[in-house]
Amino acid sequence: MTDLHTIGLDIHARKGPEIHPPMRSTAEPCTLVIVGITGDLAHRKLIPALYNLERSHLLPDGVRVVGMGRHDVPLESLMYGLKESTAEHSRTQPIDADVWHKFAQRFDYIANPGEGSGAFKTLAKLMEEHKEETEGNRMFYFATPPSAFGTLLKRINAAGLIHHPREEHWTRVILEKPIGHDHDSAVELNELTADFLDEKQTYRIDHYLGKETVQNILIFRYANAIFEPLWNRNHIDHVQIEACETIGTEGRGVFYDQTGVVRDIVQNHLLQVLAMVTMEPPSSFHSESIRDEKVKVFQSLRQIYPQDVGKDIMHGQYRGYRDNEGVADDSRTPTAVAMRFWIDNWRWQGVPFYLRAGKRLEQKVTQVSIHFKSIPLCLFGDDEACAQIEPNVLTLRIQPDEGISLAFNSKVPGDAINVGSVEMDMSYEHAFQKPIHDAYERLVLDCMRGDATLFARRDGVEQTWKFIDPLIKTWESAKDPVPQYEQGSTGPKEFHDLIEKDGRRWHHTTTDSST
Ligand code: BG6
């Protein structure tokens, strides 16, 4: 193995005429109703995101926010709690008191959206009062478990709060994941949603799609002429997608134990990333063209059979997971997974995709690495030099340390022919010297603009479940113990065996401390 040097390339955003993106509609005024405002998601993600939009002057003046939650608390206490959590979780620090003051003026709170409470009538009244500033537009964010979606839609509909899609004013609903817990329940939930909403009004959020680095995958592929010709089975040996987290269940033991790593992060976030990396060029940058191409990738995923599980797909559970509150003492829920799978289409036939994800692993890193084929012939005559040649690797670093790097070989200065692998590296932070916005900021704003490009479409969600279902069913019907791994390790030994038996290794490697 040769040492990896990083070339000190100084990549900055090139100055020159400003390049104008295609015209994007602006965010429109509306009443934004956050159902579940007292919950974790609202406190950690949504409110800090909205606050930062306010701070960047991106939130239109005519946006009112109505929080709905189970606790009967006065608005002042709710705002106090929201401010505290924004101070803790906001990407900009410290909180600006004037901005917060302006932001807080937008809020109302309605407690107990339960049956017969009249909460939605109160909501309708509030919306009517603010109709002039909000232009009568309504945006709902269901930050609740999916089991509540149906009831909520029924109540909103009964209160007459859903505009017909052809009306001048709009109603849009953001649904938080998970959309179902398997294929059938996803179809059921989608059908139920379709009873009340047109697909154009339905925004299934996947916050990975709002990450700058994930959006950049398409820009990288389609704003550069030099990569796309190589982006196929003729030049690519294999692709790795890694999403390692250091955190555990973070107080979400009950949810996580029913969910597990595959439903939590693979079926949605990582398959969405996979689609961005592997899709065909869309006919335009219009949301439906992009989403059409992504669905084609999902349709081409090679089916998983029970016999593949344990051979191409390995799972693990970190030691101590069962001690979490809400987790069963004999839980078999996997907290980490490693898998090898294929996309059966012309572009990717025969190229293995390796995916690794999990909690309580050694380091937080989410990245996609494209491993190119080896050179066809070594010309250097010297076995040692030839052995030093590493295949090129392009790494798209999604987080942290957002950037892109390309590993290639170079002559090591000196008399002899010595080859060393070096890296050309682009870091977002250095290249653009601009803060990276949180995914929720972008996605909430997109919904206010009516742009669904970065939201999951119904057919895509159902198709990804079709791929995942056999895997989950096989695990759930098995009785054998789930391999354990140490917290802070690189996962169970089986994860390494899976890729090493093919003569490859995980791209993100630090110290190997598997069980
Ligand atoms: C969420 C999962 O959807 O994504 C969490 O429910 C996970 O378990 C999180 O930790 C990861 O998101 P990010 O943005 O921190 O990579």
Side-chain angles (χ1 to χ4, degrees), residues 411-449:
K411 180 176 178 305
V412 178
D415 284 347
I417 296 217
N418 269 319
V419 179
S421 181
V422 292
E423 264 190 5
M424 258 200 279
D425 192 65
M426 183 285 263
S427 133
Y428 278 84
E429 203 188 331
H430 292 127
F432 298 105
Q433 313 207 333
K434 269 185 171 183
I436 294 195
H437 288 203
D438 186 78
Y440 282 90
E441 291 173 44
R442 168 67 195 260
L443 294 172
V444 166
L445 217 53
D446 274 4
C447 186
M448 289 178 185
R449 290 180 178 122

Side-chain angles (χ1 to χ4, degrees), residues 213-225:
T213 42
V214 174
Q215 293 171 51
N216 190 42
I217 296 172
L218 293 193
I219 308 296
F220 181 79
R221 289 185 61 192
Y222 300 124
N224 294 297

Side-chain angles (χ1 to χ4, degrees), residues 177 207-208 211 245 247 252 264 269 359 364 399:
K177 73 170 245 293
H207 78 278
Y208 262 57
K211 289 183 190 281
E245 296 185 90
I247 57 169
R252 299 188 305 158
D264 188 42
H269 306 329
K359 294 216 176 273
K364 179 168 174 70
Q399 64 188 23

Side-chain angles (χ1 to χ4, degrees), residues 235-473:
H235 301 279
I236 294 177
D237 174 71
H238 74 283
V239 177
Q240 295 186 22
I241 299 179
E242 294 169 275
C244 306
E245 296 185 90
T246 48
I247 57 169
T249 56
E250 306 296 290
R252 299 188 305 158
V254 175
F255 163 78
Y256 198 86
D257 209 36
Q258 291 163 5
T259 307
V261 62
V262 172
R263 289 188 176 105
D264 188 42
I265 194 165
V266 178
Q267 177 270 333
N268 33 67
H269 306 329
L270 300 185
L271 289 184
Q272 290 291 340
V273 170
L274 171 82
M276 303 286 256
V277 172
T278 57
M279 65 189 245
E280 293 300 316
S283 57
S284 74
F285 227 58
H286 185 267
S287 73
E288 296 315 310
S289 310
I290 294 177
R291 300 198 296 178
D292 285 348
E293 293 308 328
K294 281 167 50 186
V295 172
K296 288 183 203 161
V297 171
F298 300 141
Q299 287 166 339
S300 308
L301 285 165
R302 187 179 299 171
Q303 190 180 343
I304 295 170
Y305 291 97
Q307 60 270 27
D308 302 327
V309 180
K311 182 167 75 72
D312 283 334
I313 303 167
M314 304 296 179
H315 58 346
Q317 185 186 74
Y318 67 79
R319 282 192 211 287
Y321 166 71
R322 294 175 186 176
D323 301 335
N324 282 295
E325 205 180 315
V327 173
D329 292 343
D330 57 350
S331 171
R332 297 186 70 261
T333 301
T335 59
V337 63
M339 55 199 285
R340 182 178 69 153
F341 59 94
W342 284 266
I343 298 175
D344 284 334
N345 63 17
W346 273 57
R347 186 186 283 262
W348 296 111
Q349 186 58 222
V351 177
F353 287 79
Y354 298 89
L355 181 151
R356 173 169 71 146
K359 294 216 176 273
R360 284 262 188 256
L361 293 171
E362 190 186 28
Q363 248 183 20
K364 179 168 174 70
V365 59
T366 307
Q367 63 181 23
V368 179
S369 49
I370 318 284
H371 298 248
F372 290 89
K373 291 195 168 168
S374 302
I375 50 166
L377 174 73
C378 177
L379 296 176
F380 309 117
D382 167 352
D383 283 352
E384 209 179 309
C386 292
Q388 287 165 337
I389 297 175
E390 300 267 343
N392 300 114
V393 182
L394 178 74
T395 307
L396 311 174
R397 295 194 306 273
I398 291 171
Q399 64 188 23
D401 186 21
E402 291 82 356
I404 297 177
S405 63
L406 177 66
F408 61 95
N409 298 296
S410 170
K411 180 176 178 305
V412 178
D415 284 347
I417 296 217
N418 269 319
V419 179
S421 181
V422 292
E423 264 190 5
M424 258 200 279
D425 192 65
M426 183 285 263
S427 133
Y428 278 84
E429 203 188 331
H430 292 127
F432 298 105
Q433 313 207 333
K434 269 185 171 183
I436 294 195
H437 288 203
D438 186 78
Y440 282 90
E441 291 173 44
R442 168 67 195 260
L443 294 172
V444 166
L445 217 53
D446 274 4
C447 186
M448 289 178 185
R449 290 180 178 122
D451 182 349
T453 311
L454 301 177
F455 292 81
R457 204 169 63 185
R458 174 179 180 162
D459 48 357
V461 170
E462 293 175 8
Q463 200 65 47
T464 50
W465 276 120
K466 258 194 196 159
F467 173 62
I468 291 300
D469 258 13
L471 157 61
I472 290 180
K473 293 209 163 103

